[in-house]
């Protein structure tokens, strides 16, 4: 419907006196250009109408011919669990395909049916050696393919277990590299989600996706010429400096140095991460349903590997670390991160973290578990506070801070 309205508006705008009709409706000429209504030549009009027309055609085709089938295929409840496929390998457990079972495996088998001549025996031996090489290559290729499939499945599983953390980390990166009032919400959501489990973090991820979409559209709409960036300018006579409230909020205009993709690349990247999270979640549920497993998310990557199997070999040790590595060594990793933070900042907040480090490094785990909750609350409180100091007061207040002089 939206694309059809665009087509009708662009086409009817080419009629005589239609721009004046829009002006009488209260839409000035500058706003008409921002909307996309302007006069075109016949050739240029055809090119301009081609994109919305093509989009309408594709939408209609998808809606009337593919939409129902796609919903039926993508609905997990409508798909039955898959049965175990019959093996293509022979019943004796050999890894050699059935098509290769007729290959003579030794020169003596050939001599039983062929005359014992040196030339034929040499050719048969070479033929057998070639076939054996093909069998080995096929076996090695099959093993490599199976290993690659298992590795890909492990990557999907790893992403499923840690995508929420990646989303929160991406939201914090967006807020840090583009400091403004609008991104203060991302800081609060990402930090508060640390205190809760995956259910609350999943809700926070959905809230972030909505906010990112709204901000993306808002910053694109802000680029129209009808909205003047200078109307938000504030002149502080105390410091003889001009500020802009829109930039403090987070809205910028494009210019020769800053293009629209540069303004929106953070939102686009975060939307891609959120989309990947949805794809991973849907794909994993679908795969578990086909295999007849519970749809709930697993807790660890290798549920059969416990601390009893750690000393078996390196493979079991790596699997155990992937399962419980941070559970076993998370305190030590966090304390090392605190040391890096202290050495990097070297300010008042670093002194606070140094005091926390002295407090956390000595207690036993039972007492440390009680102190750790207070430490998390301290982090949840101080990070938004530091971000608020960086954002500062609204420029209209014209407050002069001591560190600005």
């Amino acid at each position: 419907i939206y694309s059809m309205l665009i087509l009708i508006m662009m086409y009817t705008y080419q009629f005589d006196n239609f721009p004046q009709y829009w002006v009488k409706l209260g839409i000035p000429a500058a706003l008409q250009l921002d909307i996309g209504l302007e006069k075109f030549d016949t050739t240029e009009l055809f090119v301009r109408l081609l994109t919305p027309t093509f989009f309408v055609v594709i939408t209609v085709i998808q809606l009337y011919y593919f939409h129902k089938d796609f919903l039926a295929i993508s609905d997990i409840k409508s798909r039955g669990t898959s049965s175990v496929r019959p093996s293509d390998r022979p019943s004796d457990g050999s890894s050699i395909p059935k098509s290769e079972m007729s290959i003579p495996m030794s020169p003596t088998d050939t001599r039983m049916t062929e005359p014992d001549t040196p030339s034929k025996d040499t050719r048969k031996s070479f033929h057998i050696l070639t076939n054996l090489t093909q069998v080995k290559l096929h076996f090695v290729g099959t093993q490599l393919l199976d290993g690659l499939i298992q590795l890909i499945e492990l990557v999907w599983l790893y992403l499923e277990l840690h995508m929420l953390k990646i989303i929160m980390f991406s939201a914090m990166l967006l807020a840090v590299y583009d400091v403004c009032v609008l991104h203060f919400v991302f800081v609060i959501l990402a930090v508060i989600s640390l205190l809760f489990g995956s259910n609350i973090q999943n809700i926070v991820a959905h809230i972030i996706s909505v906010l990112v979409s709204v901000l993306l559209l808002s910053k694109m709409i802000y680029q129209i010429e009808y909205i003047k960036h200078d109307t938000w300018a504030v002149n502080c006579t105390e410091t003889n400096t001009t500020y802009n409230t829109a930039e403090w909020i987070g809205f910028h205009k494009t210019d020769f140095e800053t293009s629209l993709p540069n303004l929106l690349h953070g939102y686009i990247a975060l939307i891609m991460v959120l989309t990947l999270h949805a794809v991973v979640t849907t794909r994993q549920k679908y795969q578990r349903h086909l295999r007849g497993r519970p749809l709930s998310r697993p807790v660890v990557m290798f549920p059969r590997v416990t601390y009893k199997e750690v000393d078996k070999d390196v493979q079991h040790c790596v699997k155990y670390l992937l399962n419980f590595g941070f559970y076993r060594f998370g305190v030590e990793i966090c304390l090392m991160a605190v040391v890096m933070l202290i050495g990097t900042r070297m300010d008042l907040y670093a002194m606070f973290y140094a005091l926390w480090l002295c407090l956390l490094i000595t207690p036993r785990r039972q007492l440390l578990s009680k102190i750790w909750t207070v430490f998390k609350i301290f982090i949840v409180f101080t990070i938004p506070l530091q971000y608020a100091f960086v954002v500062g007061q609204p420029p209209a207040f014209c407050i002069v801070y001591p560190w600005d002089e």
Side-chain angles (χ1 to χ4, degrees):
I1 296 175
Y2 177 73
S3 299
M4 295 177 67
L5 288 176
I6 292 177
L7 279 173
I8 295 173
M9 291 171 60
M10 292 180 63
Y11 185 75
T12 55
Y13 193 80
Q14 311 305 315
F15 297 162
D16 295 336
N17 300 324
F18 252 74
Q20 288 75 18
Y21 295 154
W22 284 93
V23 173
K24 292 180 180 180
L25 292 175
I27 302 177
L31 184 57
Q32 294 176 24
L33 290 175
D34 291 331
I35 295 175
L37 301 176
E38 55 181 315
K39 289 280 188 177
F40 299 107
D41 296 332
T42 304
T43 305
E44 191 176 0
L45 177 62
F46 174 77
V47 176
R48 290 297 185 115
L49 294 178
L50 185 61
T51 301
T53 304
F54 182 75
F55 187 76
V56 169
V57 172
I58 294 298
T59 304
V60 171
I61 292 175
Q62 193 273 338
L63 183 62
Y64 285 95
Y65 294 98
F66 299 102
H67 186 63
K68 292 183 179 180
D69 295 336
F70 175 76
L71 291 179
I73 293 174
S74 59
D75 187 9
I76 297 179
K77 297 180 181 179
S78 64
R79 307 286 292 182
T81 57
S82 63
S83 58
V84 180
R85 295 181 179 179
S87 177
D88 294 332
R89 296 179 178 179
S91 58
D92 59 352
S94 174
S95 60
I96 303 175
K98 294 181 180 180
S99 59
E100 304 290 344
M101 294 297 291
S102 60
I103 299 174
M105 301 306 293
S106 65
T108 56
D109 298 333
T110 308
R111 294 193 190 99
M112 295 176 62
T113 57
E114 296 289 339
D116 192 8
T117 58
S119 60
K120 289 185 177 181
D121 185 66
T122 303
R123 289 196 298 269
K124 286 292 183 180
S125 300
F126 179 76
H127 180 67
I128 293 170
L129 181 62
T130 304
N131 289 333
L132 286 175
T133 304
Q134 293 177 356
V135 171
K136 291 181 180 179
L137 290 176
H138 181 270
F139 176 75
V140 172
T142 304
Q143 293 294 106
L144 291 176
L145 182 60
D146 293 340
L148 180 61
I149 292 174
Q150 293 179 4
L151 179 61
I152 293 174
E153 290 294 330
L154 289 177
V155 171
W156 281 107
L157 181 57
Y158 185 84
L159 290 176
E160 183 184 14
L161 293 175
H162 300 287
M163 272 307 297
L164 290 175
K165 305 177 185 65
I166 297 175
I167 290 174
M168 303 307 163
F169 182 72
S170 302
M172 285 295 298
L173 284 180
L174 175 62
V176 169
Y177 284 99
D178 189 4
V179 179
C180 62
V181 175
L182 293 175
H183 295 165
F184 186 69
V185 182
F186 291 151
V187 175
I188 294 177
L189 291 175
V191 171
I192 291 179
S193 64
L194 297 175
L195 299 176
F196 302 97
S198 58
N199 294 330
I200 301 298
Q201 291 178 0
N202 201 5
I203 296 175
V204 171
H206 285 84
I207 296 174
I208 290 176
S209 64
V210 174
L211 291 176
V212 169
S213 302
V214 172
L215 291 178
L216 179 67
L217 294 175
S218 300
K219 290 195 174 184
M220 292 179 66
I221 295 173
Y222 187 76
Q223 305 307 316
I224 64 177
E225 296 295 333
Y226 186 76
I227 300 176
K228 301 300 181 182
H229 189 64
D230 295 335
T231 56
W232 300 89
V234 177
N235 188 13
C236 296
T237 57
E238 293 84 357
T239 58
N240 196 17
T241 308
T242 302
Y243 300 99
N244 195 289
T245 306
E247 294 180 357
W248 176 76
I249 296 174
F251 290 97
H252 299 268
K253 285 282 190 178
T254 58
D255 50 23
F256 294 103
E257 297 180 356
T258 305
S259 61
L260 185 60
N262 290 333
L263 289 177
L264 303 178
H265 69 276
Y267 299 116
I268 296 173
L270 188 54
I271 288 175
M272 292 176 63
V273 173
L274 291 165
T275 305
L276 179 61
H277 172 243
V279 171
V280 169
T281 303
T282 305
R283 190 260 181 192
Q284 291 299 97
K285 286 184 179 180
Y286 188 76
Q287 290 293 326
R288 285 195 289 269
H289 177 74
L290 291 181
R291 296 171 183 175
R293 299 176 181 176
L295 297 181
S296 58
R297 192 187 71 168
V299 181
V300 294
M301 295 182 64
F302 306 99
R304 297 182 181 179
V305 178
T306 60
Y307 69 95
K308 298 179 181 179
E309 289 83 12
V310 175
D311 297 332
K312 282 187 176 181
D313 50 27
V314 177
Q315 182 180 2
H316 284 81
C317 181
V318 173
K319 289 182 178 180
Y320 180 78
L321 291 177
L322 289 175
N323 283 344
F324 306 104
F326 199 83
Y327 175 77
R328 291 292 182 182
F329 306 104
V331 174
E332 290 77 8
I333 295 174
C334 291
L335 294 180
M336 292 173 61
V338 171
V339 172
M340 295 174 60
L341 174 65
I342 295 171
T344 304
R345 297 200 52 152
M346 300 293 291
D347 56 4
L348 180 63
Y349 289 102
M351 186 187 70
F352 291 151
Y353 280 102
L355 295 176
W356 273 108
L357 181 63
C358 296
L359 183 63
L360 297 173
I361 201 170
T362 53
R364 296 181 178 272
R365 289 299 180 100
Q366 186 176 3
L367 179 59
L368 186 61
S369 62
K370 300 178 181 179
I371 304 176
W372 199 262
T373 303
V374 183
F375 180 57
K376 290 194 298 183
I377 295 175
F378 169 78
I379 294 175
V380 169
F381 177 75
T382 55
I383 290 180
L385 181 63
Q386 296 175 66
Y387 195 84
F389 281 144
V390 175
V391 172
Q393 296 288 335
F397 293 167
C398 293
I399 299 176
V400 180
Y401 297 100
W403 51 81
D404 291 336
E405 297 179 356

